[in-house]
Amino acid sequence: MLAAPGAIATIVAVVAIVVVEWSGGVAEGLAGAVVGLLVVLAASQVGLLLSVPLVGMRVQRVVIGMGPRLADWSRPNRAVAVRAIPVVLAVGVRATTAPVRKRMWWSALCSALAEVAVLVPAAANVDGGAFAHGFAVACVAEFVYGMLPRRSAVGTSTGWLLFRLPFVSNEHARQLEAAPLVGETIDAARGGDLAAAERLAMALREAYPDLRAALSARMSVLEAQGRYVEAMILAVKLASDAEQEPDEAAGSFAALASLACFSVEAGHLDAELGLSTANQSLENATTLGYPSYKLNGVRALVALLRGNLDVAITLATRAADAGDSLLGRADDLATLARAHMASGDNQTARQVITEAEKLASWWPRVASTRSRLEVC
């Protein structure tokens, strides 16, 4: 989380402080830089939260801290958690009603203004000593870095939303137009209302037959129904789109890797074909910048299907601990339970799948894992 927005900003801040404070107070200045970076990042996230009632956004994610999970109030469509080291705040919001583009722009502006509210008094107090100097330099560096328009598999910068979003291509504009229906479809699928999800997916198919966002939503519905091969066909279509941006391609390949593994596990696809597809997709996703830790769940399943049980247990445990998505965690726990089953430890497998059922007992891989355990 710290690396996503701040790698360059941190380097800039450190270099500036070391140069300016070389004669003394370097340690104090560096401490100020670290605190300043964390404060301005938190301010940007608070700004996003403030935009929820102001411009009509919906909260998708609020995670306080990093490290082991201490408390969790997540639902299928919203992650809310507190972790052991409360030094960062991560917020995700989305627009659920039109006009989507305007709501996103105003939300980004709220985030930027919240950073400015921290930056201005910090800059005014720049002569208050080494700590204040470091604090101010870090705030300015991070703000400037955040204003650079950029998109990647990690996320989208505030600057991109402010300066590029109003002028996106027609294709991107159509995706924004479809966002409310796409979001409603995904919410229904993740919430377990599969009848409504199917109906909404059909509406998407009729209105936006080839739109990327619509195809992704339909994939979510098919996965929730356990129809992995059909979902994989859509994933192949997305991954082979020559006009997609690198960040979009990274997500497409990550989804394809997961669905290939699910299809093999369910016996719907030849193992060698499916696993070779998954491995190549993982490599492509990583090359395109998809966060490596977010692929641990898929890697765990590949290891399980290959018979590398110790590796599967380790990776599935990491994925379940690191993830904030309720369904993603349930899925990783299902993999972990299956790995323990394969190693002959059914008692531990039952404990793990019980934990997964508390999150989403209806999820296809959770339900099928429980069924397998009942006959063991």
Side-chain angles (χ1 to χ4, degrees), residues 346-368:
N346 286 345
Q347 181 177 355
T348 301
R350 289 189 177 92
Q351 293 173 353
V352 172
I353 204 62
T354 297
E355 185 179 350
E357 287 175 323
K358 293 176 182 178
L359 302 177
S361 60
W362 64 272
W363 190 244
R365 293 190 67 237
V366 174
S368 63

Side-chain angles (χ1 to χ4, degrees), residues 60-341:
Q60 276 191 307
R61 179 176 182 244
V62 179
V63 179
I64 300 173
M66 55 195 301
R69 187 181 293 105
L70 297 182
D72 190 279
W73 302 273
S74 296
R75 294 182 292 177
N77 296 308
R78 179 179 298 166
V80 181
V82 176
R83 293 181 176 270
I85 308 173
V87 294
V88 290
L89 171 66
V91 173
V93 299
R94 68 181 174 93
T96 57
T97 56
V100 171
R101 194 185 327 196
K102 288 183 178 179
R103 295 185 194 279
M104 290 175 64
W105 190 90
W106 282 106
S107 181
L109 182 62
C110 288
S111 177
L113 290 176
E115 290 192 41
V116 171
V118 172
L119 186 153
V120 171
N125 191 40
V126 71
D127 295 327
F131 184 91
H133 195 137
F135 188 98
V137 170
C139 287
V140 172
E142 173 53 34
F143 178 77
V144 171
Y145 182 65
M147 289 300 105
L148 298 177
R150 69 194 188 283
R151 293 180 67 192
S152 69
V154 176
T156 303
S157 72
T158 304
W160 191 94
L161 294 171
L162 289 176
F163 307 128
R164 295 282 178 82
L165 181 62
F167 311 105
V168 294
S169 65
N170 290 334
E171 178 69 10
H172 200 135
R174 289 185 68 231
Q175 297 206 52
L176 295 173
E177 173 191 307
L181 182 55
V182 166
E184 188 179 358
T185 304
I186 293 174
D187 284 349
R190 290 177 178 173
D193 189 352
L194 300 184
E198 176 72 16
R199 174 172 47 80
L200 292 166
M202 291 301 297
L204 277 175
R205 184 175 183 177
E206 293 176 5
Y208 308 99
D210 296 313
L211 194 67
R212 290 187 57 83
L215 291 174
S216 295
R218 289 164 55 194
M219 281 167 49
S220 296
V221 175
L222 292 169
E223 181 181 354
Q225 295 171 328
R227 296 159 62 184
Y228 301 124
V229 173
E230 295 173 69
M232 186 178 169
I233 292 172
L234 295 182
V236 169
K237 185 174 182 178
L238 284 177
S240 59
D241 181 3
E243 298 182 0
Q244 63 187 326
E245 296 295 326
D247 59 297
E248 295 173 326
S252 299
F253 282 115
L256 177 56
S258 295
L259 290 167
C261 289
F262 298 158
S263 299
V264 171
E265 182 183 61
H268 300 157
L269 185 66
D270 175 74
E272 282 306 314
L273 174 61
L275 292 177
S276 63
T277 299
N279 284 327
Q280 184 61 58
S281 298
L282 283 170
E283 182 178 338
N284 292 344
T286 303
T287 301
L288 290 167
Y290 201 84
S292 181
Y293 76 93
K294 289 188 176 183
L295 297 172
N296 279 340
V298 187
R299 292 193 182 104
L301 188 48
V302 170
L304 173 61
L305 295 171
R306 292 287 190 192
N308 301 322
L309 302 183
D310 290 340
V311 174
I313 290 171
T314 299
L315 291 175
T317 301
R318 289 179 185 172
D321 290 342
D324 292 314
S325 165
L326 187 143
L327 293 182
R329 286 161 51 202
D331 208 76
D332 293 328
L333 289 171
T335 300
L336 181 58
R338 287 172 180 257
H340 283 298
M341 286 174 60

